[in-house]
Amino acid sequence: MKSYRKELWFNVPTRRGFINITHQVEECLKESGVKEGLVLVNAMHITASVFINDNESGLHNDFDVWLEKLAPHEPVSQYRHNNGEDNADAHLKRQVMGREVIVAITNGRLDFGPWEQIFYGEFDGRRKKRVLVKIIGE
Ligand code: ZN
């Protein structure tokens, strides 16, 4: 069995943002040489997410508005976690949007359903953060 590991680094200049990382995961898959197997992609930080959905900017705006309604950043005093921090909302947003995705690899390609793309979701940006890509298979 082949095994491949890579860390992807991001530094989102704003507090929140979504980045399409599908191409980078495809590059990892090429490097791995795996034709049949699984790829795991996970955020290595508890205030960021990796998720699969549509590559459509209106939807990304909808996610941001919806998450901000569920867990508004302000006022930061509303959260007990914000005891010297201001990122409680980012932890809650990450929990809703998820930690990781797993995608099947078939014939050397990511075996997506219609319109599926992989995104990094940042909820407490303006610093360097990592995503882990782990690929196993033959
Ligand atoms: Zn925190």
Side-chain angles (χ1 to χ4, degrees):
M1 189 189 74
K2 285 178 184 160
S3 175
Y4 172 98
R5 182 188 190 276
K6 188 164 192 178
E7 293 176 2
L8 307 175
W9 286 87
F10 300 95
N11 192 347
V12 175
T14 49
R15 183 175 289 275
R16 296 193 305 275
F18 298 121
I19 299 173
N20 188 340
I21 61 170
T22 309
H23 184 69
Q24 288 169 81
V25 176
E26 284 170 344
E27 287 300 310
C28 291
L29 178 55
K30 263 188 226 166
E31 273 178 36
S32 77
V34 170
K35 300 295 179 202
E36 296 291 326
L38 294 171
V39 55
L40 164 75
V41 188
N42 69 269
M44 296 181 84
H45 301 263
I46 52 181
T47 53
S49 289
V50 172
F51 63 95
I52 290 182
N53 217 298
D54 195 1
N55 187 28
E56 200 278 308
S57 61
L59 178 66
H60 297 174
N61 187 69
D62 293 340
F63 276 139
D64 190 52
V65 170
W66 178 65
L67 289 166
E68 196 54 23
K69 276 184 200 157
L70 283 176
H73 178 66
E74 300 275 0
V76 295
S77 61
Q78 73 191 300
Y79 300 107
R80 296 177 76 174
H81 175 65
N82 285 343
N83 189 5
E85 277 201 288
D86 70 346
N87 67 0
D89 67 302
H91 292 275
L92 299 174
K93 286 162 178 153
R94 182 270 170 92
Q95 205 63 29
V96 168
M97 296 303 280
R99 171 182 183 265
E100 78 277 307
V101 300
I102 298 171
V103 182
I105 300 159
T106 305
N107 293 325
R109 306 280 306 268
L110 298 174
D111 203 343
F112 284 134
W115 305 109
E116 285 191 333
Q117 300 271 286
I118 307 171
F119 296 90
Y120 175 70
E122 178 61 81
F123 308 115
D124 186 23
R126 301 171 299 185
R127 57 198 168 106
K128 285 180 74 185
K129 289 161 87 170
R130 285 174 294 167
V131 165
L132 177 66
V133 179
K134 181 85 180 189
I135 300 172
I136 54 171
E138 297 294 337

